[in-house]
Amino acid sequence: MVKIEKGEYKWLIKVLWITFTASLVMFTFYVFAVSTNLIGLFGPMPDLKYLENPRNDLASEIYSADGVLMGKYFAENRSPVEYDEISPNLINALLATEDARFEKHSGVDFKGTLAIAWSMLSLDPRGSSTITQQLAKNLFNTRGEDYRGALGKVPGLRMLIVKTKEWMMAVQLEKNYTKKEIIKMYLNTVPFGSNAHGIDAAAKTFFGKKPSELNINEAAMLVGIVKGTYIYSPIYKPNNALNRRNVVLSQMVKYGYITDAAFDSLKVKPIDMSKYAVENHNKGQATYFREVIRSFLYKWAKRNNRDLDREGLKIYTTLDSRMQRYAEEAVAANMKDQQKKFFEHWKGRNPWVTENYKEIPGYIERAAKSSNRFKMLKTQYKDDEAAIWKEMNTPIKMKVFSWNGEKDTTLSPMDSIRYYKHFLHTGLLSMDPNTGHIKAWVGGIDYKHFKYDHVMQGKRQPGSAFKPIVYATAIDNGYHPCQEVLDAPVTFVNEKGETYTPKNSDGEPSFEKMTLRRAMGRSINTISASLIKEFGPQRVVDYAKRLGITSQLEPVPSLSLGTSPVSIYELLGVYSTFVNAGVWTKPMFITHITNRHGEVIESFPPTTVEALSEETAYKMVHMLQGALQEEGGTAQGLFRYKAAQGNDIGGKTGTTQNYSDGWFMGITQNLVTGIWVGGDDMSIHFRSMSLGQGGRMALPAWGIYMDKVYSDSNTGVKKSAFKRPKNLSISLDCQSYRDAAFANDSTQQQYTNPSDSLLKEIL
């Protein structure tokens, strides 16, 4: 036995005290140096005010008018939930696996700290942080460049400094928040992979559930992912995910959250990924609408110093989720049928043709040169066109759109372009004319494969759907819906002596007199041409601008037939003006925006202009009803739909030259809806009026949509009569109009049709 002398004992105690004191001083100095970033060696600490009120990035959410979440804008897909909205299974799995002593420590666990120190010395760092420390890391990105000092470049020291900062911030978090709040913040900020940040997005992405609905196995799998979002992903590494889930379950047994019997039952169950779906902008409701208003929102955010992708804003739109769903279903039903007809119509031939129905040479090659793939290859191969075309003609595996679902196939890029050019496209916009609130927006047939929006972005010739603007010009300048006009040729002569004589869609004029209402209902070209000749193209352009058309319109005689391209968005505003007593209301899609706390940042009031008198507007509504009520009306196909039974409906079809564009604009007192159908460009179309007219291509979608809307009482849209002005000065009954006209020679003279003299010359 070794004997220790008294002096030696005192010396040892002294050495130990000196060592302890020095260590304490050094540790205190080290903490001070880290907290103050002494001479830039350690990197800055997050400001204390952010520790007291930490900000985590939240996705901004877009809601329908009936409160349904339609989509998000985000840098990280994250939406917060409250503690009570989280399944106890998840909390138990988290505590058992990540921090069993969570309720006993104040942010730093002594055992965990020793484990970290040992891992530093062994140069094999491992995760032993408490949940609070992990929260500090998630909230402030402590391992990023913003918080790195000069010593952060030294591997061992870097991790020690990082852990020290996380420890210090964890202590502060524990002082400012309860344990439940820390658990909630942690689960709202932790990444789970698959573009899911936070438990709300993770539960939805992996299992299609709310966080409160997670069972034990699902909770264990999600907690297991936290250790490594890729290495333990059930999608990319299913075996690893299964093993890791079972490790979490075993930890739950160890700490008494589940029994051994439950563990034996749960561990053999597979991971069910049948509802796995990564949330992105290609999916969900109103995909085209969400993308179109994105640019509006980003501009708004820039003007107002807001961050759309991180602030957790809530955007409340005018769309009705039920009506949006019905619109998407109606478009799908109609376009699936139209596409089948189109494929059969062009079977064995390509549909890109000249006016003489001959295939356009080099059409696909020109289309290929404007494709993104060609542009990428051009960057890669420079001027080596042989190499570019070789790649463009080399088959590769791809997924393609079809009306029977997305299909896996092998095609060359050139063949895929040929394939997609065979598809017809569409746009639908539906609006409450009384408020200007857009209720449904379908920009195309499939957003994932066809990004182009045909509601606001796309502009096509409206054909006869433009004629109501011509007629409104006449009605507002003294004409009456019962005014009789002549279906006879009208010739225009320009400054060069060149002549232009519009023809009716069925060829020859009838040389019959008919009322303006019947002429518009039957869409007689010669009569709209005679009106634009009388009032002049520029005057019609002026009225179009008053009614909300912002596209450039050529003031030429052919404008009477709708030759200047416009968007559905613009044209819908015109038709809504007629229903809304002559007041043009800019179609609006956002009512207000709030911050993450529900405080209104900005409201968006309607923009209105008194474009027509109430009387003129009502006369135009009466005129539009002629498409169903007049003999030969072009919208009488609507009578096969329930929407037309016991209801006031007006409308106008539109068909352009060579049947390139088919339109239908339908009005009711509570809903105005416009639809366009056509090919990718004007050279792709049907070859016959029986298939290519607006009444065949676009009108069915309107009927299907309105039947669905009326069948759902929750939409609040009901069949009703058009509102008649209280002080309408002129009768719209044509017999009464004729009697009054013959009884008053001056009135008869006032409404003499300038085409009458032309009829006498012909006869």
Side-chain angles (χ1 to χ4, degrees):
M1 182 176 178
V2 179
K3 184 179 180 180
I4 301 177
E5 296 294 333
K6 188 176 181 180
E8 292 178 350
Y9 179 77
K10 289 184 177 180
W11 176 84
L12 180 60
I13 295 297
K14 185 177 182 180
V15 169
L16 290 175
W17 271 109
I18 292 172
T19 302
F20 174 76
T21 303
S23 299
L24 185 61
V25 171
M26 290 178 63
F27 177 73
T28 304
F29 177 76
Y30 168 72
V31 171
F32 170 77
V34 172
S35 64
T36 60
N37 186 24
L38 188 64
I39 62 174
L41 293 175
F42 301 93
M45 286 282 291
D47 194 301
L48 183 61
K49 66 180 181 181
Y50 293 117
L51 285 171
E52 294 173 349
N53 186 25
R55 171 187 173 182
N56 53 353
D57 291 345
L58 298 179
S60 291
E61 299 174 332
I62 181 167
Y63 287 90
S64 66
D66 54 320
V68 174
L69 176 63
M70 296 191 297
K72 302 176 183 178
Y73 302 113
F74 51 79
E76 294 179 348
N77 182 16
R78 179 188 289 114
S79 297
V81 295
E82 294 301 318
Y83 183 87
D84 293 339
E85 297 175 295
I86 302 170
S87 168
N89 295 322
L90 188 74
I91 295 171
N92 294 340
L94 178 67
L95 294 177
T97 308
E98 294 294 322
D99 195 350
R101 291 167 48 81
F102 176 72
E103 296 293 343
K104 299 178 181 178
H105 64 66
S106 297
V108 180
D109 184 25
F110 181 71
K111 292 182 179 180
T113 304
L114 290 179
I116 294 169
W118 175 255
S119 69
M120 293 297 102
L121 293 173
S122 63
L123 299 180
D124 180 27
R126 62 187 181 88
S128 299
S129 300
T130 65
I131 287 174
T132 317
Q133 286 174 273
Q134 292 182 53
L135 173 60
K137 179 183 69 175
N138 294 340
L139 286 177
F140 303 107
N141 189 24
T142 52
R143 304 183 185 194
E145 293 294 330
D146 290 343
Y147 296 109
R148 183 177 298 182
L151 294 178
K153 298 178 182 179
V154 181
L157 286 177
R158 173 180 173 274
M159 187 55 65
L160 179 62
I161 294 168
V162 165
K163 290 292 184 180
T164 302
K165 290 181 179 180
E166 291 172 1
W167 168 71
M168 296 166 68
M169 288 187 289
V171 172
Q172 290 293 332
L173 287 169
E174 291 273 354
K175 287 181 179 179
N176 287 280
Y177 298 97
T178 66
K179 291 290 186 179
K180 285 185 177 181
E181 288 173 329
I182 289 171
I183 287 284
K184 179 191 74 172
M185 287 194 291
Y186 174 82
L187 288 172
N188 278 330
T189 57
V190 66
F192 290 88
S194 295
N195 204 23
H197 295 258
I199 190 57
D200 185 65
K204 182 179 180 181
T205 297
F206 289 99
F207 301 112
K209 290 185 174 183
K210 298 177 181 178
S212 60
E213 299 170 339
L214 295 170
N215 61 36
I216 295 175
N217 258 344
E218 292 164 345
M221 193 216 78
L222 289 176
V223 169
I225 289 179
V226 172
K227 185 176 176 65
T229 57
Y230 176 77
I231 197 66
Y232 296 112
S233 167
I235 304 303
Y236 304 112
K237 301 286 184 179
N239 291 332
N240 289 358
L242 185 63
N243 292 335
R244 178 63 182 166
R245 182 204 68 183
N246 289 344
V247 168
V248 175
L249 292 173
S250 68
Q251 288 293 103
M252 295 180 75
V253 173
K254 178 179 178 181
Y255 291 101
Y257 293 111
I258 61 174
T259 64
D260 288 322
F263 172 69
D264 291 337
S265 173
L266 292 168
K267 71 179 182 180
V268 297
K269 292 184 178 180
I271 298 174
D272 181 9
M273 287 286 98
S274 60
K275 294 184 179 180
Y276 173 79
V278 177
E279 194 168 0
N280 59 51
H281 299 300
N282 289 329
K283 298 179 180 179
Q285 271 200 332
T287 47
Y288 288 93
F289 171 76
R290 286 174 7 223
E291 188 59 29
V292 167
I293 69 169
R294 175 197 289 268
S295 60
F296 168 84
L297 289 169
Y298 276 117
K299 291 176 183 176
W300 173 87
K302 186 176 181 180
R303 289 196 308 269
N304 293 276
N305 195 28
R306 297 283 178 175
D307 192 334
L308 184 67
D309 291 328
R310 291 182 169 85
E311 279 196 52
L313 304 176
K314 296 186 186 299
I315 299 100
Y316 293 91
T317 73
T318 61
L319 259 67
D320 184 291
S321 67
R322 296 153 299 201
M323 294 167 71
Q324 178 66 29
R325 183 172 72 254
Y326 299 147
E328 291 175 0
E329 291 171 353
V331 161
N334 180 56
M335 294 308 296
K336 188 173 184 179
D337 180 58
Q338 297 299 327
Q339 194 61 57
K340 181 180 178 182
K341 294 175 181 176
F342 195 72
F343 282 150
E344 292 173 351
H345 185 70
W346 286 102
K347 188 175 182 179
R349 292 185 59 185
N350 289 320
W352 42 91
V353 293
T354 64
E355 293 182 0
N356 298 320
Y357 301 118
K358 294 182 180 180
E359 184 174 336
I360 300 172
Y363 176 84
I364 292 298
E365 287 71 21
R366 286 191 292 274
K369 287 183 177 180
S370 63
S371 68
N372 289 331
R373 185 182 292 272
F374 189 93
K375 292 174 182 176
M376 289 171 60
L377 292 173
K378 184 77 172 175
T379 302
Q380 180 180 349
Y381 290 109
K382 306 300 179 185
D383 295 326
D384 190 352
E385 291 220 355
I388 295 174
W389 288 114
K390 182 179 179 181
E391 290 268 9
M392 291 294 290
N393 284 285
T394 300
I396 56 176
K397 290 183 179 180
M398 63 177 69
K399 291 181 181 291
V400 297
F401 169 80
S402 85
W403 279 110
N404 294 317
E406 196 174 52
K407 293 186 178 298
D408 292 306
T409 188
T410 300
L411 289 174
S412 71
M414 292 296 291
D415 285 336
S416 71
I417 293 171
R418 290 187 184 93
Y419 173 74
Y420 281 129
K421 286 293 184 180
H422 282 77
F423 279 89
L424 291 174
H425 298 273
T426 191
L428 178 151
L429 188 63
S430 188
M431 184 177 98
D432 181 342
N434 308 295
T435 63
H437 289 186
I438 292 171
K439 295 298 180 182
W441 181 311
V442 184
I445 58 176
D446 184 84
Y447 181 74
K448 180 178 179 180
H449 294 277
F450 306 98
K451 293 289 194 285
Y452 192 79
D453 173 69
H454 291 283
V455 168
M456 181 182 280
Q457 185 179 6
K459 295 183 179 182
R460 297 291 287 259
Q461 291 182 353
S464 296
F466 186 86
K467 287 177 181 176
I469 298 176
V470 179
Y471 282 89
T473 305
I475 292 293
D476 204 46
N477 285 278
Y479 272 72
H480 189 282
C482 295
Q483 173 84 29
E484 288 192 331
V485 287
L486 181 68
D487 175 15
V490 178
T491 298
F492 299 85
V493 183
N494 64 17
E495 295 175 352
K496 298 179 181 179
E498 299 168 334
T499 61
Y500 166 63
T501 305
K503 294 183 179 181
N504 290 330
S505 59
D506 57 357
E508 297 300 322
S510 65
F511 295 103
E512 296 178 2
K513 277 190 175 184
M514 61 185 75
T515 64
L516 276 187
R517 187 174 191 252
R518 176 168 294 184
M520 194 173 86
R522 292 176 58 180
S523 200
I524 305 298
N525 290 345
T526 59
I527 292 176
S528 59
S530 69
L531 293 175
I532 204 170
K533 186 171 186 178
E534 179 177 353
F535 294 103
Q538 185 57 54
R539 199 166 191 183
V540 172
V541 169
D542 294 340
Y543 268 87
K545 298 299 182 183
R546 283 169 57 180
L547 290 165
I549 299 296
T550 57
S551 295
Q552 182 178 353
L553 301 176
E554 293 295 329
V556 294
S558 62
L559 182 64
S560 65
L561 308 185
T563 53
S564 288
V566 297
S567 68
I568 302 175
Y569 180 86
E570 293 172 279
L571 208 54
L572 195 78
V574 173
Y575 282 75
S576 294
T577 303
F578 301 144
V579 180
N580 194 32
V583 178
W584 174 81
T585 302
K586 184 178 181 180
M588 59 182 293
F589 39 74
I590 297 176
T591 57
H592 62 285
I593 299 174
T594 70
N595 61 20
R596 66 174 69 185
H597 305 298
E599 300 165 340
V600 176
I601 300 171
E602 186 166 348
S603 297
F604 298 87
T607 300
T608 61
V609 174
E610 293 186 9
L612 297 172
S613 69
E614 187 177 9
E615 185 173 292
T616 296
Y618 185 72
K619 288 177 182 177
M620 287 306 303
V621 168
H622 178 68
M623 293 273 288
L624 287 165
Q625 288 180 275
L628 288 89
Q629 297 173 359
E630 295 287 347
E631 181 182 354
T634 59
Q636 291 182 348
L638 285 179
F639 287 125
R640 65 177 181 269
Y641 299 98
K642 293 181 180 179
Q645 299 172 13
N647 193 21
D648 274 7
I649 294 177
K652 187 71 192 77
T653 57
T655 308
T656 57
Q657 190 176 16
N658 290 340
Y659 324 115
S660 297
D661 304 276
W663 294 72
F664 183 71
M665 307 295 297
I667 65 169
T668 66
Q669 181 57 52
N670 299 313
L671 208 59
V672 176
T673 304
I675 301 165
W676 165 87
V677 176
D680 199 33
D681 60 51
M682 293 187 67
S683 66
I684 298 173
H685 50 76
F686 283 109
R687 290 169 289 174
S688 66
M689 174 66 83
S690 62
L691 292 172
Q693 62 179 290
R696 297 293 178 88
M697 289 201 294
L699 181 146
W702 194 93
I704 297 169
Y705 168 62
M706 292 301 292
D707 276 356
K708 290 176 178 287
V709 169
Y710 285 132
S711 67
D712 185 351
S713 60
N714 292 321
T715 63
V717 180
K718 299 178 181 179
K719 295 179 179 180
S720 63
F722 288 116
K723 292 181 180 178
R724 181 185 177 94
K726 294 180 180 179
N727 300 314
L728 185 63
S729 60
I730 298 177
S731 172
L732 295 179
D733 175 71
C734 287
Q735 185 59 53
S736 299
Y737 166 76
R738 284 191 291 269
D739 291 345
F742 282 111
N744 190 329
D745 289 341
S746 61
T747 302
Q748 177 67 19
Q749 183 65 34
Q750 177 184 354
Y751 290 108
T752 299
N753 180 14
S755 297
D756 288 350
S757 58
L758 177 61
L759 177 60
K760 293 177 181 178
E761 291 179 12
I762 295 172
L763 296 176

